[in-house]
Amino acid sequence: MYNNHHVIRNSRWFIFLLWMIIWLSACSTADLPHEGDLTSFTSILAAQLQSLAQPPTTPTLLPTSLTPIPTPTMVPPASSPSPASPHFSLTIHPLRQYAPAHNLYIGAAVSPKPLLEDPYYAAVLGHEYNLLTPENAMKFEFIHPEPGFFDFTQADVLVEYAEQHGMTVRGHTLVWHLQLADWVEAVPCDQMEAVLKDHIETIVGHYRGQVYAWDVINEGIGDDGKLRDTIWLRCIGPDYIEKAFTWAYAADPAAKLFYNDYDIELENQKSSGVYELVASLLQKGIPIHGVGIQMHLVEAPPAAYLAKYMGSFADLGLEVQITEMDVRLPEPPTSETLIQQADIYRLVLRVCLEAPNCTAFVTWGFTDRYSWVPEFFPGFGSALVFDADYVLKPAYIALREELGKGE
Ligand code: G3I
């Protein structure tokens, strides 16, 4: 299905050239104008080349057709970690401008701390994305730290920001075996069902009408395709999954309810196990609306299988979403690895765009400045589409090119 390596190879050099120019411009002079829309890239390319040849003059290079949006030069408060590139600016045509045409949410996982402390993070997020997912703030240990006590402060910061920026919120996650509050381990098993029911009803109820979709169950299937051995399975039993979906639905019947997992973009026991679990829930009439494919990658997934897998859920009437994409690279990245990374982002987005039931494309963070990868994979990083200085990478251009197709 994807034998258009010729197209990708040509666009690779085009992207590389363009990225080099953007990177050079981010590192060199300030008031180079920003790229317009993709169709005027060639004129900008010529302009960039021309401007690199001579010292920058006033920004007359923008094609007259584009009404240049004044790009704010952000002056960071002394406390915030200002990016290395002194002339931070926003793209003129962000990803979120293109996504609606594909009925797609384009999103990123985020955290309240950088949102409150790093103005570049706050500026890029609302500018580029129309959806956000809490990376950690809605997880058990943070939102339900003590028995009977719920702390919504961190998650509320994210939900409020989303509302202020016309963004949709995807909740993550109600039931997981990790990042549990310490007190849960001490709960007698015969009380665990009541704890989980209260947890789900309280959180989904609190965000009713504000969170459009929830990862109800995260990583409930093991690599053998069977139910993962978790405290929920041990104490409540295998029907903890259908109970969780039923409680979430009762708390907010309008919210879309997802099963979310990793390594299911590959043909293996796990991806089959997830399909069988979801199909069995539907057969029992359990309210479930889709499957989240996390997509934490080091290499390109088999596009044909991924498309077929997404199609198998379409046949069940379910949505699929790319929920946590990142492509980690050996540090330091090279121009070659950055281009390979761009190809992988392009391939996954293209499969999603070509699957009518793929309704969201979310990356697990957006700038290499804040990413889980270096902590969990020492020696790896640079996994996202903006670098640590908020300069857009070849991967960003690949996403925008794919989203801009058909414009
Ligand atoms: O809250 C403590 C803080 O008090 C302490 O000062 C700090 C320093 O050690 O650690 C903070 O806890 C960290 C927590 O994230 C919140 O930032 C934990 O150490 C850290 O291990 C934890 O990592 C998160 C990880 O899930 C936990 O498994 C990552 O940020 C988060 O990106 C990651 O996300 C998961 C998805 O939820 C599910 N899919 C896989 C994905 C990546 O693992």
Side-chain angles (χ1 to χ4, degrees):
M1 192 154 64
Y2 288 102
N3 52 12
N4 50 2
H5 290 296
H6 181 67
V7 178
I8 291 185
R9 194 170 48 246
N10 280 353
S11 63
R12 290 174 85 185
W13 285 116
F14 175 70
I15 288 184
F16 181 58
L17 199 62
L18 191 62
W19 177 65
M20 280 302 288
I21 287 169
I22 292 173
W23 187 73
L24 282 169
S25 58
C27 303
S28 61
T29 54
D31 48 15
L32 280 176
H34 297 283
E35 74 277 355
D37 62 28
L38 289 171
T39 44
S40 64
F41 256 174
T42 41
S43 58
I44 291 178
L45 202 56
Q48 299 283 17
L49 285 170
Q50 182 205 359
S51 64
L52 278 177
Q54 70 215 17
T57 58
T58 51
T60 57
L61 300 172
L62 274 176
T64 48
S65 62
L66 282 173
T67 47
I69 304 170
T71 49
T73 303
M74 307 283 289
V75 182
S79 61
S80 82
S82 58
S85 159
H87 297 284
F88 166 87
S89 58
L90 298 169
T91 59
I92 287 189
H93 294 289
L95 301 174
R96 69 179 291 174
Q97 183 175 335
Y98 296 96
H102 304 277
N103 296 323
L104 185 83
Y105 289 109
I106 187 82
V110 297
S111 295
K113 192 166 182 308
L115 197 57
L116 295 171
E117 297 175 1
D118 183 342
Y120 302 93
Y121 186 92
V124 172
L125 175 63
H127 180 71
E128 290 289 344
Y129 298 97
N130 61 15
L131 177 142
L132 64 80
T133 298
E135 181 175 2
N136 290 295
M138 286 183 176
K139 290 174 179 171
F140 209 121
E141 69 171 326
F142 296 108
I143 207 165
H144 195 174
E146 299 301 334
F149 170 67
F150 290 83
D151 178 359
F152 295 109
T153 46
Q154 295 202 42
D156 283 354
V157 167
L158 303 178
V159 173
E160 277 157 34
Y161 176 92
E163 287 173 353
Q164 287 154 3
H165 292 78
M167 300 171 76
T168 296
V169 179
R170 196 178 183 284
H172 177 81
T173 177
L174 296 171
V175 187
W176 194 24
H177 60 283
L178 294 177
Q179 290 188 280
L180 292 173
D182 296 344
W183 64 271
V184 175
E185 305 291 342
V187 171
C189 256
D190 60 0
Q191 294 170 25
M192 200 61 84
E193 180 164 335
V195 165
L196 188 58
K197 185 169 186 292
D198 172 50
H199 180 77
I200 292 173
E201 289 174 344
T202 305
I203 295 167
V204 176
H206 177 85
Y207 289 114
R208 184 174 176 145
Q210 293 180 295
V211 169
Y212 114 104
W214 285 98
D215 287 333
V216 176
I217 303 289
N218 189 46
E219 303 173 9
I221 295 287
D223 293 347
D224 59 3
K226 299 191 172 53
L227 291 181
R228 180 191 289 272
D229 174 26
T230 68
I231 191 169
W232 310 118
L233 180 67
R234 289 192 299 277
C235 287
I236 303 174
D239 57 1
Y240 84 88
I241 293 180
E242 58 197 71
K243 285 177 177 168
F245 277 100
T246 306
W247 295 329
Y249 180 75
D252 186 354
K256 295 202 175 190
L257 307 177
F258 281 76
Y259 174 89
N260 191 51
D261 219 323
Y262 62 90
D263 282 356
I264 57 174
E265 68 278 359
L266 306 168
E267 188 157 14
N268 54 33
Q269 289 179 304
K270 187 173 186 173
S271 52
S272 311
V274 168
Y275 177 84
E276 279 143 31
L277 166 71
V278 166
S280 71
L281 292 173
L282 280 174
Q283 261 146 24
K284 291 177 188 163
I286 302 297
I288 179 171
H289 306 101
V291 170
I293 304 172
Q294 292 184 12
M295 212 59 83
H296 294 290
L297 303 175
V298 277
E299 60 189 22
Y305 173 74
L306 180 59
K308 195 174 96 207
Y309 193 58
M310 289 182 175
S312 70
F313 291 112
D315 297 344
L316 293 175
L318 294 176
E319 295 180 36
V320 290
Q321 297 188 335
I322 306 298
T323 55
E324 305 185 15
M325 182 152 181
D326 52 25
V327 181
R328 58 187 179 272
L329 301 176
E331 290 286 14
T334 65
S335 53
E336 189 55 30
T337 58
L338 288 165
I339 293 293
Q340 287 161 359
Q341 181 184 60
D343 286 347
I344 297 172
Y345 271 104
R346 177 192 299 281
L347 184 141
V348 173
L349 178 57
R350 184 176 289 174
V351 174
C352 176
L353 291 174
E354 290 174 352
N357 64 326
C358 186
T359 54
F361 185 92
V362 182
T363 52
W364 207 238
F366 59 94
T367 166
D368 295 333
R369 181 176 282 268
Y370 309 104
S371 165
W372 71 293
V373 168
E375 178 192 343
F376 285 74
F377 302 96
F380 282 79
S382 303
L384 296 161
V385 300
F386 287 88
D387 73 11
D389 300 324
Y390 298 96
V391 174
L392 44 93
K393 294 162 63 176
Y396 174 93
I397 296 177
L399 293 183
R400 204 172 65 198
E401 250 188 8
E402 288 304 309
L403 285 173
K405 280 196 178 136
E407 264 285 300

